[in-house]
Amino acid sequence: KAGVTQTPRYLIKTRGQQVTLSCSPISGHRSVSWYQQTPGQGLQFLFEYFSETQRNKGNFPGRFSGRQFSNSRSEMNVSTLELGDSALYLCASSLDTASYGYTFGSGTRLTVV
Amino acid sequence: GENVEQHPSTLSVQEGDSAVIKCTYSDSASNYFPWYKQELGKGPQLIIDIRSNVGEKKDQRIAVTLNKTAKHFSLHITETQPEDSAVYFCAASRDTDKLIFGTGTRLQVFP
């Protein structure tokens, strides 16, 4: 079966711009979680969506937002980009809660210059 | 909030030796403890998990142990192979809450 697909794989943006990242979960998975991965901070939780509703939220500023569509595909948006937003953004899908097991995508590498 | 500490940050072993990675968690209500392996250029991959009602779980060369009293769990890899070289992450969560990850261990297996 197809895995978790994240697009695009790489992005270069300028400070102050905004960006939208996309995640297509495994068919039948209703939960999508987003993580930011950096060398200094490791894997930091952004938010989780389940059946189009945000179920959990991490400690990121309001510039980070997300949504989930009726087909479970999810997008995350970062507005007013800062240099510190440069990171690997990972999406993980699950049947329901994390205890069902996350399947991660390969991530989107965002570089802010 | 929940915190997961992971040690060591790097681990080098000879092929065939065993490797052990340890994690501690702060939230006593945590009940799910997975381990992920991340290879270069890829997302983390679930390799084994354990729930709070079990003390040990084994899958071929990989085993995980859980000590709820000490809030401590460990990953054991026996007969290591070069393809085991990767970054390993432990994590913890409870009920419908998010997964909190440890800071990762870079394992290098030398032939």
Side-chain angles (χ1 to χ4, degrees), chain A residues 39-91:
Chain A
Q41 298 297 316
L43 284 153
Q44 299 290 309
F45 175 77
L46 283 155
F47 28 66
E48 180 209 2
Y49 287 86
F50 181 80
S51 292
E52 301 180 67
T53 300
Q54 188 178 83
R55 183 159 66 178
N56 284 299
K57 188 178 187 305
N59 297 319
F60 279 80
R63 300 185 297 107
F64 292 81
S65 63
R67 59 178 176 169
Q68 186 179 34
F69 302 95
S70 58
N71 61 358
S72 292
R73 190 177 72 84
S74 177
E75 290 182 346
M76 68 163 281
N77 183 277
V78 188
S79 62
T80 319
L81 283 166
E82 301 177 359
L83 294 179
D85 296 333
S86 294
L88 180 66
Y89 290 88
L90 290 161
C91 157

Side-chain angles (χ1 to χ4, degrees), chain B residues 37-90:
Chain B
K37 174 184 180 182
Q38 186 173 25
E39 296 175 317
L40 203 60
K42 297 182 180 180
Q45 178 186 10
L46 177 66
I47 56 172
I48 194 167
D49 57 13
I50 192 168
R51 299 171 199 277
S52 59
N53 59 347
V54 175
E56 184 174 357
K57 184 177 179 181
K58 192 173 181 179
D59 182 5
Q60 299 182 346
R61 298 186 296 109
I62 294 173
V64 57
T65 59
L66 172 65
N67 182 328
K68 285 188 294 183
T69 304
K71 291 190 282 187
H72 169 274
F73 58 113
S74 300
L75 177 71
H76 305 252
I77 306 175
T78 59
E79 301 172 26
T80 53
Q81 302 167 3
E83 51 265 39
D84 293 329
S85 296
V87 179
Y88 291 81
F89 292 94
C90 62

